[in-house]
Amino acid sequence: MEWKQIVVIMEIDQVGKWPEHVGILALELIVPSRYVNQIDLELHDGVSKGKYTIGLGQERMAFCSDREDVVSLCLTAVSSLMLRTQTSYSDIGRLEVGTETLVDKSKSIKSMLMRLFKNSNNNNVEGVDSTNACYGGTAALFNSVAWLESSAWDGRLAIVVAADVATYAQGGARPTGGAGAVAMLIGPNAPLVLDRGLRASHMDDTYDFYKGNMHTNYPLVDGKLSVQCYFEALYNCYCLYRKKFLNKFANDNETNTSSKSVLQHFDAIIFHSPYGKLVRKAFTWLTLHDLQIDANFYKKNSNLLKYKLTDINVDLLSDPDVLKDTEQLFKKLTEPTQKLPRNIGNMYTASVFGGLISYLISKPAYEMGGQRIAMFSFGSGMCSSFYSINIRSGEKLDTLISHLVPHVAEKLEKRHCTSPAEFENILKIRELTYNKAPFEPTTNIEDLFPGSWYLTYIDSMFRRYYSQ
């Protein structure tokens, strides 16, 4: 079925009515054409074998040349999404970008994307950028869904773009970098529907990861504190979500709420993924806390019952036996969400959506219909949310997945494997040219994927120019 037949714009006389099944109609993944193998990086850095591949749980890390930046990734993501779905730019009423990789302290990346709308003469497009570490993409998604469900909605669709270039100074954090973008078409009657009234957030003022030094794009990181913040946010978000879930379905005969555990109602649990090992520990953290709420749900996993009434703390997650005891559930609920995070690295705002795409390509479409998946989004500083998505079977879901499966495989397989020495050289160039004007990139554009947007130059007034 062609997209122009299934992306239906609501008539103006329907504005004011609450649209049904608001959510994600389509997704587009964009990654740089270069990556470095984590095994090679271990050898190059002289660290112990398995430090990055087992200790961090990573396999490959995407990175950008001097031709690519967060704007070029966003331009490619939106133009590819629109072309593939055959959606007219005049049918877009909102466009919002989630990112922490700022290129301007005033002008939004969204404003730079408006060049794509020129031929449609559509300048009536709401939205700007949302920024708070890795959480900005989730904020953009929530804002766009709220727009569709408000009196401001004019019957058109929305686009959400989550994109980042994650780089770190030389040292232990560098292997946790990555780069990429996920663009989402948002509208009614979607195959991926956000559960209404089922969202829980936890916000606080912390300095676990931040970019207060304006002279560099490298973050300042307190790794231990960041992990603590991640687990604190996960616990608080899940507890509040669980309360809302039980209240909402208390009188629903089709949803068994006799158990205080809510995890049993999920077919997958997707976490923001800075690196794979943290996700593995986060799953264990959530499971062990859920066990304290209702141990009866875990009777089939007898090896877990011994943790009933145990003091669940961060240090406990360093015990390999504890991780082993939750391995069976992890493989069922979260392992299928890790393909892209392991092979791309941390995409910051796009990370949790990379997990969503990973899950969607892990099974045939006919197995996905009717499933409910949990999403945990975290951004240092800190902002976090726990929400859920219902997957609706039908032709739209078939179309969505039938595109993603070959598209993702092609993006991952056709990348260029770069040596660690060249990787370091490119990052050094990006470091030296950060905030430089005028600046003209030198990387050969033939190394880019066909159809990619790229940076041509930055003039002496810091104005950026791009071509496709």
Side-chain angles (χ1 to χ4, degrees):
M1 171 169 285
E2 294 184 1
W3 267 98
K4 62 184 178 182
Q5 293 177 303
I6 64 177
V7 179
V8 181
I9 308 303
M10 305 296 286
E11 297 295 334
I12 295 299
D13 62 3
Q14 290 181 288
V15 174
K17 295 181 180 179
W18 198 318
E20 291 295 325
H21 307 303
V22 174
I24 302 170
L25 290 160
L27 298 108
E28 192 74 20
L29 170 72
I30 297 299
V31 294
S33 59
R34 295 168 178 258
Y35 74 89
V36 61
N37 194 305
Q38 294 280 15
I39 293 178
D40 297 339
L41 201 57
E42 289 173 348
L43 292 172
H44 179 79
D45 291 348
V47 300
S48 58
K49 183 178 180 181
K51 184 176 178 65
Y52 304 155
T53 53
I54 299 175
L56 294 177
Q58 297 301 113
E59 297 176 10
R60 299 173 178 179
M61 178 171 54
F63 66 97
C64 292
S65 69
D66 60 356
R67 286 287 186 184
E68 301 163 293
D69 61 14
V70 67
V71 180
S72 69
L73 291 174
C74 287
L75 284 166
T76 305
V78 173
S79 59
S80 298
L81 177 73
M82 297 296 281
L83 178 63
R84 177 176 57 81
T85 61
Q86 301 180 44
T87 303
S88 171
Y89 283 95
S90 61
D91 290 334
I92 302 300
R94 184 178 181 86
L95 170 60
E96 186 162 345
V97 176
T99 188
E100 64 168 275
T101 315
L102 304 180
V103 295
D104 191 293
K105 290 182 287 185
S106 175
K107 181 176 170 60
S108 69
I109 294 173
K110 181 277 178 80
S111 68
M112 300 182 188
L113 301 183
M114 288 305 298
R115 72 184 63 201
L116 299 173
F117 290 75
K118 284 186 177 180
N119 291 337
S120 68
N121 294 316
N122 177 21
N123 295 99
N124 180 21
V125 183
E126 294 188 8
V128 283
D129 294 356
S130 287
T131 300
N132 187 90
C134 303
Y135 185 81
T138 296
L141 175 62
F142 289 170
N143 291 342
S144 296
V145 169
W147 174 74
L148 272 119
E149 295 181 342
S150 75
S151 61
W153 186 52
D154 60 6
R156 294 184 293 169
L157 302 175
I159 293 177
V160 171
V161 193
D164 275 299
V165 179
T167 56
Y168 293 85
Q170 196 166 23
R174 175 158 283 187
T176 65
V182 173
M184 295 169 277
L185 189 64
I186 312 298
N189 301 313
L192 306 179
V193 181
L194 274 69
D195 276 325
R196 282 179 179 156
L198 286 180
R199 181 193 306 171
S201 296
H202 179 79
M203 311 286 179
D204 206 344
D205 179 16
T206 64
Y207 276 98
D208 57 308
F209 169 110
Y210 57 104
K211 295 179 179 177
N213 185 352
M214 297 298 177
H215 300 292
T216 177
N217 195 45
Y218 293 145
L220 297 165
V221 185
D222 184 333
K224 185 175 181 180
L225 176 60
S226 190
V227 170
Q228 291 174 343
C229 289
Y230 187 103
F231 291 135
E232 175 190 346
L234 175 57
Y235 173 79
N236 288 314
C237 283
Y238 174 65
C239 287
L240 180 55
Y241 176 94
R242 183 181 66 84
K243 183 178 180 180
K244 289 185 176 183
F245 185 96
L246 294 175
N247 288 337
K248 180 172 183 175
F249 294 108
N251 299 316
D252 186 351
N253 294 328
E254 295 183 5
T255 305
N256 179 15
T257 57
S258 59
S259 169
K260 294 180 181 179
S261 168
V262 170
L263 294 187
Q264 63 179 301
H265 297 287
F266 297 133
D267 297 280
I269 304 175
I270 300 170
F271 299 85
H272 164 59
S273 182
Y275 52 92
K277 196 57 172 287
L278 182 61
V279 170
R280 182 66 189 86
K281 291 183 176 181
F283 179 87
T284 298
W285 172 264
L286 185 61
T287 300
L288 295 183
H289 277 292
D290 196 57
L291 172 70
Q292 312 307 312
I293 296 170
D294 189 352
N296 289 330
F297 171 57
Y298 294 91
K299 282 184 176 180
K300 293 182 179 179
N301 301 89
S302 57
N303 56 328
L304 290 176
L305 295 179
K306 61 187 175 186
Y307 297 107
K308 178 66 176 174
L309 303 180
T310 298
D311 177 27
I312 312 302
N313 55 66
V314 174
D315 292 335
L316 182 65
L317 302 177
S318 298
D319 186 341
D321 290 334
V322 178
L323 297 181
K324 184 178 179 180
D325 288 335
T326 57
E327 184 72 16
Q328 181 180 353
L329 282 174
F330 175 78
K331 287 184 176 180
K332 175 185 176 183
L333 295 173
T334 300
E335 173 71 25
T337 74
Q338 289 296 287
K339 181 178 180 64
L340 292 184
R342 283 179 182 152
N343 281 279
I344 297 174
N346 191 358
M347 296 187 286
Y348 285 164
T349 56
S351 168
V352 70
F353 304 113
L356 174 60
I357 292 174
S358 297
Y359 183 68
L360 291 172
I361 65 174
S362 70
K363 299 177 182 179
Y366 66 83
E367 292 185 17
M368 292 286 181
Q371 292 192 358
R372 174 180 279 118
I373 54 179
M375 304 280 288
F376 174 65
S377 177
F378 174 83
S380 292
M382 66 174 164
C383 297
S384 60
S385 292
F386 194 103
Y387 62 104
S388 52
I389 291 177
N390 265 306
I391 303 179
R392 298 174 64 230
S393 58
E395 290 184 277
K396 291 182 181 180
L397 178 63
D398 295 343
T399 301
L400 184 151
I401 293 179
S402 65
H403 159 71
L404 285 178
V405 172
H407 174 72
V408 171
E410 181 180 30
K411 286 294 182 185
L412 296 183
E413 293 170 5
K414 291 191 175 182
R415 295 180 296 172
H416 308 294
C417 182
T418 305
S419 70
E422 186 177 355
F423 162 70
E424 283 197 348
N425 182 56
I426 290 176
L427 258 61
K428 189 65 178 179
I429 291 173
R430 292 179 64 91
E431 180 181 321
L432 294 174
T433 58
Y434 176 74
N435 207 34
K436 181 180 178 181
F439 169 66
E440 185 172 352
T442 58
T443 303
N444 193 336
I445 64 173
E446 292 181 0
D447 292 337
L448 303 175
F449 285 124
S452 295
W453 284 80
Y454 59 92
L455 179 69
T456 55
Y457 69 100
I458 301 173
D459 68 18
S460 60
M461 298 293 289
F462 289 90
R463 292 173 294 198
R464 307 173 82 92
Y465 298 85
Y466 297 86
S467 293
Q468 186 181 26

